[in-house]
Amino acid sequence: MAGRDRVVHLLRQLERAACRCPAHSNTFHQGAGAVTCTVRKTDYAFEMASSNIRYGDGVTREIGMDLQNLGAQNVCLMTDKNLSLLPPMKAVLESLAKSGVKYKVYDNVRVEPTDTSFKDAITFAKNHSFDVFLAVGGGSVIDTCKAANLYSCHPDADFLDFVNAPIGKGKVVTAPLKPLIAVPTTAGTGSETTGSAIFDYEPLKTKTGIANRAIRPILGIVDPRHTLSMPERVAANSGFDVLCHALESYTALPYHQRAPCPPNPINRPTYQGSNPISDVWSRHALNVLAKYMKRAVRDPEDLEARSSMHLASVFAGIGFGNAGVHLCHGMSYPVAGNVKSFLAKDYSAEHPLVPHGLSVVVTSPAVFNFTAPMCPERHLEAAEILGADIRQVKREDAGAVLADTLRQFLFDMQVEDGLGALGYTKDDIPALVKGTIPQERVTKLSPREHSEEDLSQLFEASMKLY
């Protein structure tokens, strides 16, 4: 009976997905009347892709058996220098030893990777003819491992061949890759579920990435015990990534309004726009985050809260991994890429660093105030989930209400007071705008069209939060 109730609940959530706001008012279900892409300009279909996920307390002990089942003879085990000394890595190594799995460790992954650090990992992979890849760490480790797998299976490819346009060529991946298993140790990126690998492209001082379903892991091992090793600010910044993944994917341009319509399904992008299935995952992630994030950050021993945030990261990953993100992420890339001297607390990096989740969330009040007119119902629903009383709120006030709700949430979570506190001034805004423009893969999914002047105003509004 419980199973039937769950199915009915999910169907009702799907029914609610077709809201009445301008950006989402067209029906999601085109039916037999849908025209092929030879005639129409926007897409008429979406598809869902995600890694297999295995969740359980202590489930890491099964990894050795998984590798045996794959017939692995030479495993590439990637992590970073800090994690190599922590319990998650110890648990993985014990499992590999018990199953007699042969492996080589690469622990030179950079926190917030760059094109240079990706290339170093790719060279390592090319030199050892690995037949399986295993990533143990946060998004930086998992994304680096994805890139190493991709390019070692395409040894003659130029680095920019698979990098997202317009920075790279955005070529389609056609050759088969090796199996990749991901063991996430943070609760934020959702990289264990997605076909994306993000890095700082140093020549342009901005972030970009590789987006292709072919690079997603075949399996994500989600072991809640691993999140207990996260320091407070790492837990907070990881959670902010979950928050924005959920909010951005839920408010993204609907898939049937995204252009162009692909001439061949192989050309349909990984990030397709909001859709009724992603909506379920994104909304659920937001509900879980609202209940557990503050507890997870404030008490590292709260296993229930940290486990729930680990699952929320997976939920949001499935949501945004197919719907995509938009302005918060697009604007975050130059914020991280142009970092001057900011040193993030609780991170072991020896270089200036604006953690990804922080760079994303710092513009969120301004962004959602800007996008709200296009789908006010969804913005109001998000505000309500995060604790706002919306009973007397008018649709035209949706943006202000969600922005204020986010500001209070960030204040409670002790987030730095805007871009100014991260070392930026108004003089940096042109460079930040310039770094956002190439991020059209995500920014074009904003439900509201925007100009360079709009971006300038959003960055200016984000200089101070409180």
Side-chain angles (χ1 to χ4, degrees), residues 146-340:
K146 289 175 183 176
N149 187 12
L150 172 64
Y151 287 95
S152 63
C153 293
H154 294 80
D156 298 325
D158 180 76
F159 181 72
L160 290 179
D161 279 353
F162 300 114
V163 173
N164 300 324
I167 291 174
K169 298 175 183 176
K171 287 186 176 181
V172 172
V173 178
T174 53
L177 304 191
K178 304 300 183 185
L180 190 161
I181 296 175
V183 185
T185 58
T186 60
T189 68
S191 186
E192 68 277 6
T193 69
T194 73
S196 297
I198 307 300
F199 64 94
D200 284 313
Y201 187 56
E202 294 171 302
L204 294 182
K205 292 187 176 181
T206 191
K207 267 184 163 45
T208 184
I210 302 160
N212 194 290
R213 295 177 186 88
I215 69 172
R216 72 179 185 274
I218 62 165
L219 175 64
I221 298 285
V222 182
D223 189 334
R225 288 278 163 190
H226 296 337
T227 64
L228 298 180
S229 62
M230 278 194 299
E232 177 185 317
R233 296 323 297 170
V234 176
N237 292 325
S238 299
F240 296 141
D241 206 15
V242 177
L243 173 65
C244 289
H245 284 159
L247 285 174
E248 289 173 73
S249 56
Y250 191 54
T251 58
L253 187 76
Y255 75 93
H256 54 76
Q257 293 182 21
R258 192 199 73 252
C261 186
N264 185 306
I266 200 172
N267 301 118
R268 182 164 283 116
T270 306
Y271 290 174
Q272 302 160 87
S274 61
N275 60 78
I277 299 180
S278 285
D279 287 348
V280 172
W281 292 102
S282 299
R283 191 192 297 113
H284 186 55
L286 199 58
N287 275 287
V288 175
L289 177 142
K291 183 176 181 179
Y292 290 107
M293 181 171 168
K294 291 181 181 179
R295 280 174 51 185
V297 171
R298 291 167 179 166
D299 182 3
E301 299 301 319
D302 188 336
L303 183 59
E304 180 189 19
R306 292 224 164 174
S307 299
S308 297
M309 283 302 298
H310 214 179
L311 276 176
S313 175
V314 173
F315 300 152
I318 297 170
F320 95 86
N322 293 281
V325 287
H326 54 82
L327 289 177
C328 291
H329 271 76
M331 295 170 65
S332 78
Y333 296 154
V335 170
N338 285 274
V339 61
K340 299 175 183 178

Side-chain angles (χ1 to χ4, degrees), residues 14 18 26-32 44 46 255-256 276:
L14 284 171
N26 292 344
T27 175
F28 279 110
H29 306 291
Q30 304 288 327
Y44 67 98
F46 69 93
Y255 75 93
H256 54 76

Side-chain angles (χ1 to χ4, degrees), residues 412-454:
D412 292 345
M413 290 283 90
Q414 300 180 338
V415 171
E416 287 80 357
D417 191 8
L419 292 172
L422 304 183
Y424 290 103
T425 69
K426 289 183 180 180
D427 293 338
D428 297 308
I429 290 177
L432 295 174
V433 172
K434 182 180 178 182
T436 304
I437 292 169
Q439 312 303 332
E440 60 183 32
R441 179 180 66 96
V442 294
T443 57
K444 71 179 182 182
L445 291 174
S446 167
R448 181 175 174 181
E449 292 186 2
H450 51 278
S451 63
E452 289 186 30
E453 180 58 31
D454 290 327

Side-chain angles (χ1 to χ4, degrees), residues 367-444:
V367 164
F368 292 109
N369 190 36
F370 174 78
T371 57
M374 301 311 298
C375 43
E377 282 90 351
R378 289 188 176 224
H379 286 68
L380 283 174
E381 184 181 1
E384 184 177 36
I385 291 171
L386 293 172
D389 182 353
I390 65 166
R391 286 174 295 181
Q392 304 299 320
V393 177
K394 297 177 182 178
R395 293 172 77 253
E396 55 265 33
D397 296 327
V401 170
L402 181 53
D404 287 345
T405 303
L406 286 168
R407 260 186 224 99
Q408 185 60 53
F409 188 80
L410 300 189
F411 182 80
D412 292 345
M413 290 283 90
Q414 300 180 338
V415 171
E416 287 80 357
D417 191 8
L419 292 172
L422 304 183
Y424 290 103
T425 69
K426 289 183 180 180
D427 293 338
D428 297 308
I429 290 177
L432 295 174
V433 172
K434 182 180 178 182
T436 304
I437 292 169
Q439 312 303 332
E440 60 183 32
R441 179 180 66 96
V442 294
T443 57
K444 71 179 182 182

Side-chain angles (χ1 to χ4, degrees), residues 67 72-78 89-90 92-98 100-106 124 128 130-132 134:
L67 293 169
Q73 299 296 315
N74 187 24
V75 176
C76 177
L77 172 52
M78 289 201 168
M89 189 64 173
K90 181 182 177 184
V92 168
L93 293 177
E94 286 177 353
S95 179
L96 299 190
K98 187 174 180 181
V101 174
K102 294 181 180 179
Y103 62 89
K104 289 184 176 65
V105 175
Y106 178 87
F124 177 83
H128 292 95
F130 296 112
D131 56 359
V132 179
L134 175 60

